[in-house]
């Protein structure tokens, strides 16, 4: 994990005191709400329906147990005892008081955390693969690159007032668990044809919201040394040419679309030529320095089997289900990756109580080298658990209601906060996700359905990523009633696709049935159990689903 | 009293904006700055005058259009029409870093306390603060942050290369 230098600490302290001054000027009326808005947003503070909401950055989704305990402390002291993990690997608090926020930031700074650039029209927290460093399909650990991007983008003086928000994701593995195609910039780590050089496939102009688009590959291979100069060139072109006349046309995806991919590429390359040899060029010693923070932990040399584990697998079906659904193989023999499901019928997706956070921190210390990761599907990961510890960990997770065996399955729903919290929302999303979870909360059914994703957004801004779900649900307000549109066929993985609306929207009390019908068509139509929902949909198209829903 | 900061000091502004060359009016004496199109149209006339010259760019202009003129100019005025519009940050960096402009780069428009730090890092050294801002109180904005990660007009190298 990256360790803060004296200067990193200094920067956080200065930022807290700067923000304290801004809050003070606001409370004294020296700063108008409109002008304060730009400042508070750059520190993750939104004004929501009922209260302020504070979004705390979790750079590339990596947390130490000590940081998790601080998050619990904040939930307890300044909020209503819980926090909400978001689709950008961050955590949000829904009930802080404005005058408390500087103190919250002080507490965060003590554990090297902050809310810098978690909102506003600037470069946001860089997201990555939650399995970075432990995945079997990894080409190279993406986190050192993410850390360089974090430093480059933090208080970047030129790019702090962009046309619109700007999100960067980095993936370092064969399978894309970071959704690179739906970010303003997505970097997919690849090896050159000769396999001797590491570089990136550069996607630009992906994004969801009102106009969902997949990123275009504007460079098939960018040598890693050029990563930051190239990002700087893209941002510079965007800052000068991105539209500022219409907030809904201001994302870089619209610039790429309106300029044309070819022309946009030429503009970026021309700018890059002029700066590629500058101070942001990355040398071997720069990589060595940053990679030093992400060395493999001291793994024990242990066999990839354990008698107690295997016995429990044979004798306890519930344990075996959990292992089947929520455990993934680790690159290291004798270790496993454990998903902690934050998706139960009892809590909104992504919500964790302060007590759960403390307990998770303890479990991380006890079983997983003291680290926790957050995922863009709003779950948590303990990444380094020994096989022999799985039975004990499972018991403890069950007691915490964190062992629902549903990772990447139908009840592992992504949901935005929706109209229960959000000032932008036009419909509720949490009650819909809970109704769906309650309806399909049957292990055999979940297991039979296999790999399928449902995402729910409570408005057209698409924070719940409904466009890239296999089954997407969008809540809209039609003449005073909340209705729900269904989109099918989306994917946020390496086969990324934007789902298509299947037909007229459903009332709130019809949408769960509609999802049930879609799932039934799949189960009846698949050619073999290995054919996933997405494969069946791609084979058959919309027709059979449409017929069942509206026929 | 001018609400103006130059090189991190409250100063009085000796520059006059001037437009109206097309009316055939006589050119004023003293230090003036003109919109970029008037400069491009009437370079020679402007240069025969006594007094220093500046040019005001719109924030949609590519600063390259005056790159060959910079050694004859003492001031480039940039516009921040509203706080959220950050195009001039890029213009400032290009003027300083790419085209080597040594004169005053001035921010005008919504020039507010909380942007001064960023403007300064991009090479802006003259600040025409918005009327409701207090110039002497604003000076401390330049020192609120002392740690900078990335290269800009004030630093050639990123922090990770400066530390060792």
């Amino acid at each position: 994990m990256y360790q803060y230098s004296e200067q990193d600490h200094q920067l956080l302290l200065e930022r807290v005191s700067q923000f304290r001054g801004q809050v003070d000027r606001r409370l004294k009326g020296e700063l108008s709400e409109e002008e304060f808005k730009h400042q508070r947003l750059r520190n993750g503070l939104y004004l929501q329906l009922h209260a302020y909401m504070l979004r705390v950055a979790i750079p590339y989704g990596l947390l130490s147990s000590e940081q998790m305990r601080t998050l619990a402390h904040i939930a307890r002291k300044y909020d209503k005892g819980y926090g909400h993990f978001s689709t950008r690997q961050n955590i949000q608090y829904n009930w802080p008081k404005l005058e408390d926020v500087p103190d919250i930031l002080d507490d965060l700074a003590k554990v090297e955390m902050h809310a810098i650039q978690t909102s506003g029209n600037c470069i946001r927290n860089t997201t990555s693969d939650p399995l970075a460093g432990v995945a079997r399909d990894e080409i190279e650990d993406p986190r050192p690159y993410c850390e360089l991007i974090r430093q480059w983008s933090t208080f970047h003086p030129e790019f702090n007032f962009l046309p619109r928000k700007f999100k960067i994701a980095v993936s370092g593995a064969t399978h894309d668990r970071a959704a690179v195609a739906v970010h303003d910039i997505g970097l997919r780590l690849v090896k050159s044809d000769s396999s001797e050089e590491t570089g990136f496939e550069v996607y630009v102009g992906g994004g969801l919201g009102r106009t969902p688009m997949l990123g275009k590959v504007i460079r098939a291979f960018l040598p890693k040394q050029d990563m930051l100069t190239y990002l700087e060139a893209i941002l510079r072109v965007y800052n000068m040419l991105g539209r500022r006349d219409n907030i809904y046309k201001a994302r870089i995806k619209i610039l790429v679309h309106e300029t044309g991919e070819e022309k946009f590429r030429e503009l970026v390359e021309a700018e890059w030529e002029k700066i590629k040899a500058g101070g942001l060029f990355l040398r071997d010693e720069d990589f060595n320095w940053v990679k030093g923070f992400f060395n493999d932990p001291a793994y024990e040399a242990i066999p990839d089997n354990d008698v107690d584990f295997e016995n429990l697998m044979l004798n306890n079906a519930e344990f075996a289900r959990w292992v089947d659904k929520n455990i993934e193989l680790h690159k290291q023999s004798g270790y496993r990756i454990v998903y902690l499901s934050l998706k139960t019928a009892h809590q909104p997706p992504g919500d964790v109580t302060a007590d759960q956070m403390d307990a998770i921190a303890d479990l991380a210390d006890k079983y997983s080298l003291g680290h926790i990761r957050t995922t863009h599907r709003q779950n948590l990961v303990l990444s380094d658990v020994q096989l022999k510890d799985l039975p004990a960990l499972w018991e403890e997770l069950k007691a915490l209601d964190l062992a629902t065996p549903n990772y990447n399955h139908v009840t592992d729903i992504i949901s935005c906060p929706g109209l229960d919290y959000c000032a932008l929302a036009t419909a509720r999303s949490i009650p819909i996700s809970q109704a769906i979870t309650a309806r399909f909360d049957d292990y055999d059914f979940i297991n039979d359905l296999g790999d399928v994703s449902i995402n729910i957004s409570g408005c057209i801004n698409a924070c719940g990523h409904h466009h890239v779900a296999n089954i997407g649900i969008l809540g809209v307000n039609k003449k005073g009633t909340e209705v729900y549109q269904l989109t099918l066929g989306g994917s946020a993985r390496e086969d990324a696709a934007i789902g298509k609306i299947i037909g007229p929207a459903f009332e709130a009390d019809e949408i769960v049935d509609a999802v049930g019908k879609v799932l039934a068509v799949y189960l009846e139509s698949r050619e073999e159990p290995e054919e996933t929902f997405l494969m069946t949909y791609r084979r058959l198209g919309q027709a059979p689903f449409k017929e069942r829903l509206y026929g | 009293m001018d609400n103006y900061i130059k090189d991190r000091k409250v100063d009085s502004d000796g520059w006059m904006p001037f437009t109206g060359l097309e009316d055939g009016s006589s050119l004023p004496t003293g230090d003036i700055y003109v919109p970029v199109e008037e400069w491009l149209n009437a370079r020679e006339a402007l240069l025969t005058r006594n007094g220093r010259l500046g040019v005001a760019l719109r924030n949609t202009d590519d600063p390259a259009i005056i790159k060959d003129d910079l050694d004859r100019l003492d001031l480039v005025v940039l516009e921040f029409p509203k706080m959220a519009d950050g195009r001039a940050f890029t213009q400032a960096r290009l003027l300083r870093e790419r085209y080597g402009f040594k004169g005053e780069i001035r921010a005008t428009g919504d020039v507010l306390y909380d942007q001064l730090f960023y403007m300064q890092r991009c090479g802006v050294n003259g600040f025409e603060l918005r009327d409701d801002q207090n110039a002497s109180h604003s000076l401390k904005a330049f020192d609120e942050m002392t740690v900078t990660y990335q290269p800009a007009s004030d630093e050639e190298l990123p922090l990770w290369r400066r530390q060792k």
Side-chain angles (χ1 to χ4, degrees), chain A residues 1-4 55-74 83-86 88-93 107-115 125-126 128-132 143 147 150 293-294 340 342 350 352-354 356-375 378-384:
Chain A
M1 192 159 182
Y2 181 72
Q3 295 297 314
Y4 269 32
R55 182 182 293 148
V56 175
I58 303 175
Y60 34 94
L62 188 58
L63 280 172
S64 69
S65 53
E66 185 196 19
Q67 290 175 328
M68 184 65 107
R69 286 190 190 96
T70 296
L71 296 179
H73 154 78
I74 289 166
H84 174 78
F85 287 98
S86 78
R88 299 208 68 260
Q89 300 182 288
N90 293 321
I91 185 167
Q92 300 179 173
Y93 294 103
D107 289 348
L108 287 169
K110 285 178 196 139
V111 293
E112 307 182 352
M113 293 188 84
H114 57 78
N125 183 34
T126 299
S128 187
D129 185 344
L131 306 190
R143 292 171 301 176
E147 177 56 29
R150 181 191 75 77
F293 295 108
F294 298 93
L340 277 51
L342 306 185
V352 181
T353 67
Q356 283 176 319
M357 288 186 224
D358 274 335
I360 292 164
D362 292 345
L363 293 177
D365 282 339
K366 200 161 156 191
Y367 298 115
S368 191
L369 307 172
H371 289 125
I372 303 113
R373 290 116 181 279
T374 61
T375 81
Q378 301 180 284
N379 291 299
L380 299 176
V381 172
L382 293 178
S383 56
D384 299 287

Side-chain angles (χ1 to χ4, degrees), chain A residues 296-337:
Chain A
D296 269 355
Y299 290 121
E300 289 173 40
I302 45 177
D304 207 42
N305 53 57
D306 179 81
V307 178
D308 293 337
F309 167 78
E310 276 139 30
N311 282 338
L312 200 60
M313 282 295 280
L314 291 173
N315 300 320
N316 187 321
E318 201 189 343
F319 177 70
R321 287 170 175 181
W322 176 73
V323 170
D324 184 48
K325 292 287 165 283
N326 291 19
I327 305 299
E328 230 170 285
L329 296 176
H330 193 288
K331 69 174 186 186
Q332 191 73 20
S333 162
Y335 286 81
R336 291 294 182 270
I337 299 160

